[in-house]
């Protein structure tokens, strides 16, 4: 049977008249779709006097209750500018980007109903109560309920929402509005927030002292921190009272303007949306329990509610010296990593920390105070890079010490910044945002960093990457080598902590990789690359009384290594006949080049002079980029054996 409209209105009036005895009313679903077992049991009553106290005990523990003496507002208005450019993590190609979450300046007391009036024609907005958005499902033991925030889609007109745990009230926007929007709110309390450029320090201190709201926000153009009021009050009688938020947050704005946004090549009015700075603020918050670790990145970034993280947000000394700031910069750095383009798999705890060095460089802070492992990790990494032999930056145990690996692996980046300018990072980030495609493998990410840093420095940095054992593709080396001159100084020996080293010439010692014939007890193959030309330094091929597997007769293969882990330019080969035995002089040779010691191509043939004069054979095609040179002796004076004093590489 249908009920007429008048009957429905009458029934609704009766329902509203008898709500005081009801735990729940109607219209807005209550409860939380989470693991806290707060099952929805009905609907919220629109009687503003009704308070759901079912979670008071838990809310008292965290995030805290609001004293009844704190005035609740009625029909208060606030205006938000929702005209934003949504900078997603996808178009910035970073891990996490700030989303359009707007602080209202109001706080909902636990269990109390909030009435929010949205102007006609305004859609696509959501209200959120509660800043603590970590879902602690599965954690044990729990220090607070798993989910203590809630959200509701707003409609034009009157909206009601409550949070059993209370919290700051936010408006979340899914799209922009050209003109500011004015909302009307009832039932909330005013949060004693500080807003840079709007709130005087003394007025803010007075508001904090007078307020009974457990949490407050510190807001600047680039960042918002949510902190507990009791910790602010505790500082007022400490050695560093937090009474100077203007100074502190002016510095925080500098950090995000200069050392995050600008360093990544982002600006507010960039023509290309990919190069615009985030239009919403980064957010950081303190919590008594985290989903992961002592602090973790995300939006918001979360730190444990202790004195360290609180000071990292609020201490002027900390932010002006970079002392004690490692954790905060570290987590925001995680948000800004470009792991899909160039920050490869073993740099997860490395490239995020580069922002700490950028801040320290700008303010003139000592790198040694950034983190205890910096002072030990950098020298160890430089020793590794300065060593010889085969290396693998990503897997070698020497670069993967438990406590020092992230700091060792950031050393090559800081070396580039210190010697060629911190703009190298800006170029890297900008190129990554505009790259035609993402990179799915470590080798393609290695290649990207090598090519882009070489483009920035206008120098072929392949020797630098080789010294560090960062593998790069031969094709990319050839491409870069065709554009720029090769690095000539041992950049990998530069120590950013002492500002010394890195200026010496690059020297590679030729190695004898293999030889197909040698006579035991009659000369030594090592003599071919010792740089000595005299009667006592020589090699002699096998003539039948040495190891049976050695070749007797021709051809005889001598494989020389450049001493470099990546291809370098080789000009030719220098020869010297044995100085006191012309019977074994070498005649005809052919020379081959290879980057892998498997696939060889011929680069020239020559006939050695039949005398003791040193003979330099330069490749007819010019310098060859290679890692291995094979000298094939095809004939000699003697039909079965040969000898030489020297067979070495000529480097440009």
């Amino acid at each position: 049977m249908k009920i007429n409209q008048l009957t429905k209105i009458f029934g609704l009036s009766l329902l509203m008249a008898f709500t005081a005895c009801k735990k729940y009313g109607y219209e807005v679903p209550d409860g939380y779709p989470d693991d806290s077992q707060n099952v929805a049991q009905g609907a919220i009553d629109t009687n503003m006097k009704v308070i759901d106290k079912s979670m008071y005990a838990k809310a008292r523990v965290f995030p805290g209750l609001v004293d009844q003496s704190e005035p609740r507002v009625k029909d208060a208005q606030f205006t938000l500018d929702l005209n934003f450019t949504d900078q997603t993590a996808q178009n910035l190609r970073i891990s996490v980007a700030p989303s359009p979450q707007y602080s209202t300046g109001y706080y909902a007391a636990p269990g109390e109903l909030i009435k929010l009036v949205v102007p006609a024609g305004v859609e696509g907005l959501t209200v959120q109560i509660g800043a603590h958005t970590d879902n602690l499902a599965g954690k044990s033991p729990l220090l607070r309920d798993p989910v203590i925030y809630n959200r509701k889609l707003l409609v034009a007109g009157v909206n009601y929402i409550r949070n059993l745990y209370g919290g700051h009230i936010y408006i979340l926007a899914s799209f922009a509005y050209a003109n500011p929007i004015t909302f009307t709110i009832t039932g909330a309390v005013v949060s004693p927030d500080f807003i840079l450029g709007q709130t005087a320090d003394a007025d803010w201190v007075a508001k904090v002292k007078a307020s009974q709201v457990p949490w407050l926000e510190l807001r600047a153009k680039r960042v918002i921190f949510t902190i507990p009021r009791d910790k602010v009050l505790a500082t007022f009688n400490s050695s560093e009272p937090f009474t100077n938020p203007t100074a502190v947050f002016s510095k925080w704005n500098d950090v995000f303007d200069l050392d995050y946004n600008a360093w990544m090549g982002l600006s507010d009015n960039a023509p290309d949306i990919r190069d615009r700075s985030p239009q919403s603020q980064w957010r950081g918050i303190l919590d008594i329990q985290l989903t992961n670790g002592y602090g973790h990145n995300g939006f918001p970034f979360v730190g444990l509610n202790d004195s360290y993280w609180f000071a990292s947000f609020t201490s002027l000394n900390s932010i002006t010296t970079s002392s004690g700031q490692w954790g905060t910069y570290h987590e925001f750095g995680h948000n800004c990593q470009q792991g899909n383009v160039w920050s490869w798999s073993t740099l997860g705890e490395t490239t995020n920390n580069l922002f700490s060095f950028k801040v320290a460089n700008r303010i003139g802070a000592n790198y040694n105070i950034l983190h205890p492992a910096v002072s030990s990790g950098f020298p160890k990494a430089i020793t590794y890079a300065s060593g010889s032999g085969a290396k693998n930056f990503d897997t070698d145990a020497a670069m993967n010490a438990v406590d020092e690996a992230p700091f060792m692996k950031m050393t090559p980046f800081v070396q580039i910044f210190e010697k060629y300018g911190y703009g190298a990072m800006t170029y890297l980030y900008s190129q990554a945002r505009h790259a035609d495609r993402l990179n799915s493998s470590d080798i393609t990410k290695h290649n990207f960093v090598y090519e882009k840093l070489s483009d920035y420095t206008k120098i072929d940095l392949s020797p630098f990457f080789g010294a560090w054992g960062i593998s790069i593709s031969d094709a990319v080396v050839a491409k870069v080598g065709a554009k720029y001159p090769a690095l000539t100084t041992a950049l990998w020996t530069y120590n950013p902590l002492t500002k010394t080293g890195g200026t010496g010439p690059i020297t590679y010692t030729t190695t004898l990789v293999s030889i197909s014939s040698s006579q035991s007890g009659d000369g030594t193959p090592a003599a071919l690359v010792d740089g000595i030309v005299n009667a006592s330094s020589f090699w002699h091929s096998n003539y039948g009384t040495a190891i049976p597997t050695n070749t007797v007769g021709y051809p005889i293969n001598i494989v020389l290594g450049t001493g470099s882990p990546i291809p370098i330019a080789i000009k030719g080969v220098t020869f010297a006949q044995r100085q006191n035995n012309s019977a074994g002089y070498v005649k005809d040779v052919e020379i081959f080049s290879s980057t892998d010691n498997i696939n060889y191509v011929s680069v020239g043939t020559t006939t050695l002079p039949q005398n003791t004069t040193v003979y330099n054979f330069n490749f007819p095609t010019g310098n060859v980029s290679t890692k291995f040179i094979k000298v094939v002796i095809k004939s000699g004076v003697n039909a079965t054996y040969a000898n030489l004093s020297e067979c070495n590489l000529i480097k440009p």
Side-chain angles (χ1 to χ4, degrees):
M1 182 176 70
K2 292 185 178 179
I3 301 176
N4 64 38
Q5 188 68 17
L6 182 62
T7 304
K8 287 193 285 186
I9 294 173
F10 178 72
L12 181 61
S13 300
L14 287 176
L15 183 62
M16 294 179 66
F18 294 100
T19 53
C21 64
K22 296 169 66 68
K23 183 176 181 181
Y24 296 99
Y26 73 101
E27 185 178 318
V28 181
D30 199 6
Y32 299 77
D34 57 51
D35 299 286
S36 62
Q37 306 306 311
N38 297 325
V39 180
Q41 299 178 25
I44 291 180
D45 193 334
T46 56
N47 186 334
M48 299 296 291
K49 295 181 180 180
V50 174
I51 302 174
D52 186 340
K53 300 180 180 179
S54 60
M55 289 296 165
Y56 258 31
K58 293 182 177 181
R60 179 179 287 108
V61 173
F62 191 84
L65 300 180
V66 177
D67 194 90
Q68 288 298 311
S69 65
E70 191 71 26
R72 272 62 170 172
V73 301
K74 182 178 181 181
D75 295 329
Q77 291 189 330
F78 62 92
T79 301
L80 298 178
D81 182 0
L82 305 182
N83 190 16
F84 64 93
T85 300
D86 191 9
Q87 287 297 76
T88 65
Q90 287 74 27
N91 62 30
L92 294 176
R93 290 184 171 172
I94 59 177
S95 300
V96 177
S99 61
Q101 175 177 329
Y102 293 87
S103 299
T104 65
Y106 291 98
Y107 193 97
E112 297 188 20
L113 193 63
I114 303 299
K115 177 183 176 183
L116 192 63
V117 182
V118 179
V122 175
E123 300 176 343
L125 302 180
T126 298
V127 61
Q128 173 180 309
I129 298 181
H132 299 88
T133 54
D134 258 7
N135 185 335
L136 304 182
K139 302 288 286 189
S140 181
L142 280 171
L143 302 182
R144 66 162 174 83
D145 269 358
V147 176
I148 59 172
Y149 77 101
N150 64 336
R151 292 173 179 161
K152 180 192 174 186
L153 186 66
L154 293 172
V155 297
V158 178
N159 300 264
Y160 294 94
I161 187 172
R162 75 168 89 239
N163 184 340
L164 302 183
Y165 306 88
H168 279 103
I169 301 171
Y170 303 99
I171 300 297
L172 313 181
S174 56
F175 47 82
Y177 283 87
N179 299 313
I181 297 174
T182 298
F183 302 83
T184 303
I185 191 167
T186 297
V189 297
V190 176
S191 176
D193 296 349
F194 170 81
I195 305 174
L196 183 64
Q198 297 182 31
T199 312
D201 288 354
D203 292 343
W204 175 73
V205 170
K207 285 200 302 181
V208 171
K209 289 180 177 179
S211 178
Q212 297 298 316
V213 179
W215 289 79
L216 57 91
E217 291 194 330
L218 305 168
R219 292 190 254 159
K221 180 181 180 182
R222 300 300 185 190
V223 65
I224 295 176
F225 289 135
T226 305
I227 59 174
R229 174 178 165 271
D230 60 357
K231 278 188 164 52
V232 176
L233 292 173
T235 71
F236 291 164
N237 297 316
S238 70
S239 58
E240 189 181 0
F242 181 43
T243 56
N244 55 348
T246 296
V248 173
F249 277 79
S250 294
K251 296 296 184 183
W252 271 117
N253 255 0
D254 288 345
V255 167
F256 281 94
D257 270 335
L258 303 174
D259 306 316
Y260 283 83
N261 290 344
W263 202 33
M264 292 187 289
L266 305 174
S267 60
D268 288 347
N269 300 311
D272 192 316
I273 189 174
R274 292 172 293 183
D275 298 324
R276 288 183 201 162
S277 52
Q279 302 298 291
S280 301
Q281 293 107 324
W282 291 102
R283 289 180 177 269
I285 192 169
L286 304 180
D287 202 335
I288 60 170
Q289 191 171 16
L290 283 61
T291 55
N292 185 38
Y294 183 45
H296 69 74
N297 72 306
F299 185 76
F301 136 69
V302 186
L304 194 65
N305 186 22
D306 64 9
S307 58
Y308 168 81
W309 287 110
F310 178 80
S312 76
F313 287 1
T314 62
S315 167
L316 183 62
N317 177 67
S318 177
I319 196 171
T320 53
T321 63
S322 282
S323 175
Q325 286 301 115
W326 186 269
T328 311
Y329 296 159
H330 173 100
E331 300 302 349
F332 282 121
H334 270 310
N335 285 347
C336 294
Q337 284 176 299
Q338 291 185 314
N340 287 327
V341 185
W342 65 267
S343 184
W344 61 85
S345 64
T346 66
L347 300 180
E349 294 298 327
T350 295
T351 52
N352 59 313
N353 291 318
L354 296 176
F355 294 92
S356 297
F357 287 89
K358 172 59 172 66
V359 179
N361 176 264
R362 177 175 59 82
I363 67 177
N366 187 336
Y367 293 163
N368 283 294
I369 70 172
L370 294 177
H371 192 282
V374 170
S375 59
S376 60
F378 274 35
K380 287 183 179 179
I382 293 167
T383 298
Y384 169 84
S386 302
S388 59
K391 302 176 192 175
N392 189 311
F393 178 89
D394 295 322
T395 62
D396 283 348
M399 286 295 290
N400 285 282
V402 174
D403 296 323
E404 295 168 321
F407 311 95
M408 296 177 72
K409 289 180 177 178
M410 70 181 66
T411 310
F413 292 95
V414 179
Q415 288 175 331
I416 292 289
F417 300 154
E418 289 282 302
K419 298 298 283 186
Y420 291 101
Y422 277 72
M425 188 77 149
T426 309
Y427 186 79
L428 194 58
Y429 263 84
S430 299
Q431 290 293 305
R433 286 194 303 276
H434 292 268
D436 293 335
R437 61 182 180 278
L438 303 179
N439 291 317
S440 58
S441 66
D442 279 357
I443 185 62
T444 57
K445 294 172 186 179
H446 291 182
N447 289 338
F448 186 90
V449 175
Y450 158 60
E451 183 173 3
K452 299 309 176 183
L453 290 182
S454 293
D455 286 340
Y456 176 79
T457 61
K458 305 301 181 187
I459 295 172
D460 178 3
L461 293 174
S462 58
F464 179 75
F465 279 73
W468 278 106
I470 303 172
S471 57
I472 48 182
S473 300
D474 293 339
V476 181
V477 172
K479 175 183 175 183
V480 173
K483 293 193 292 184
Y484 308 116
L487 179 71
T488 59
T489 57
L491 174 61
W492 54 88
T493 64
Y494 174 74
N495 188 334
L497 304 179
T498 62
K499 313 295 186 186
T500 59
T503 58
I506 297 175
T507 57
Y508 295 119
T509 302
T510 303
T511 61
L512 181 67
V513 177
S514 65
I515 192 165
S516 64
S517 179
S518 63
Q519 179 62 45
S520 177
D522 195 354
T524 173
L528 291 172
V529 293
D530 64 5
I532 300 172
V533 180
N534 62 31
S536 60
S537 176
F538 67 95
W539 152 81
H540 201 299
S541 71
N542 184 20
Y543 44 76
T545 61
I547 302 172
T549 55
N550 282 349
T551 301
V552 177
Y554 305 99
I556 300 171
N557 298 327
I558 302 171
V559 178
L560 304 174
T562 63
S564 168
I566 49 92
I568 60 172
I570 297 299
K571 184 177 181 180
V573 179
T574 184
F575 297 93
Q577 302 279 15
R578 183 176 175 181
Q579 299 296 289
N580 62 349
N581 192 338
S582 60
Y585 278 179
V586 170
K587 286 186 176 180
D588 299 315
V589 300
E590 185 170 6
I591 301 171
F592 298 82
S593 169
S594 173
T595 57
D596 57 11
N597 198 22
I598 298 173
N599 302 294
Y600 279 90
V601 295
S602 177
V603 292
T605 60
T606 188
T607 299
L608 272 58
Q610 301 300 291
N611 56 54
T612 58
T613 303
V614 174
Y615 170 60
N616 292 327
F617 173 69
N618 295 330
F619 300 141
T621 57
N623 294 348
V624 173
S625 180
T626 188
K627 291 171 64 176
F628 303 95
I629 291 291
K630 182 193 293 184
V631 176
V632 179
I633 303 175
K634 295 184 172 182
S635 67
V637 171
N638 190 285
T640 59
Y641 68 84
N643 43 223
L644 285 170
S645 178
E646 193 74 8
C647 179
N648 213 327
L649 300 179
I650 304 172
K651 297 165 185 174

